Every structure is written in structure tokens, then in C-alpha cells.
Amino acid sequence: MHPEALMTLPIRHEPDARRFVADVGGKAAYITYRQHDGQLLELDHTYVPRELRGGGVASQLTVRALEYARERGYRVVPSCPFVAAFIERHPEYRELRVGL
């Protein structure tokens, strides 16, 4: 998948499942979270089907989850290694990060 196509990747929030999901080529990619103490969002797992990896799907999911947290004034615990690395590479999200 071409990176520009990901700029408009439709991502839906499934609050009951505590995740953000993108359907890409009939396959689901997602990032899951847990909420702690109302204002703390732990991003704990990112999954992208093997054939879709390396195309920026996980980054788009991560941005959506981080923006969701920012919009609501939440702090973020990046227990997923991908999310932790993403935040390190993108300083504009570092102020959201907190340890548990």
C-alpha cells in the first residue's frame, strides 16, 4: 500500500472492545487500550496482519489513539513497544507520555 493512501485510512473507535480498528484489504489492524483512573490511557497492543506490515498502518492507528487521548486531556502509558518507540520518534506526542 502506498504511504499517501494511509493519510485517509478510515479508523473506527470500538469503545466496547477498547480498540481502534482499520480495515485494510479485508484484514483488520488494531491498537488496543486500557483506561486507568479516568484520565490515563494505556496503549497496550498494536496488531497489523503480516502482509500489511511496513506500510504505516500501525503508525496511523497510533496517531489516532494519541489524538483521541489528547482531545480528552488523557495522559498515555505506552506499554506497547511500538507505541513507545513511535512517541520517541515524534516529539509532538511526548507530553502525553507517563509511566504507570
Side-chain angles (χ1 to χ4, degrees):
M1 177 165 284
H2 202 270
E4 282 80 30
L6 295 177
M7 298 304 281
T8 57
L9 186 65
I11 297 172
R12 71 181 178 278
H13 184 203
E14 296 180 346
D16 291 341
R18 295 180 307 279
R19 67 183 192 165
F20 293 92
V21 183
D23 293 311
V24 185
K27 307 266 183 179
Y30 55 85
I31 186 168
T32 60
Y33 64 86
R34 288 184 278 193
Q35 241 179 299
H36 303 277
D37 301 327
Q39 295 299 107
L40 199 58
L41 202 66
E42 180 180 359
L43 300 177
D44 58 3
H45 183 68
T46 305
Y47 172 76
V48 176
R50 186 174 309 280
E51 60 273 18
L52 299 174
R53 292 178 188 166
V57 175
S59 292
Q60 290 292 310
L61 288 165
T62 300
V63 166
R64 178 66 183 96
L66 291 171
E67 288 298 328
Y68 172 84
R70 179 178 275 157
E71 290 162 7
R72 284 155 183 76
Y74 294 169
R75 300 296 302 274
V76 173
V77 177
S79 61
C80 169
F82 179 88
V83 175
F86 183 92
I87 291 173
E88 284 304 309
R89 290 191 314 271
H90 296 87
E92 65 270 26
Y93 293 111
R94 287 188 193 150
E95 82 278 359
L96 297 174
R97 183 180 188 151
V98 67
L100 194 62

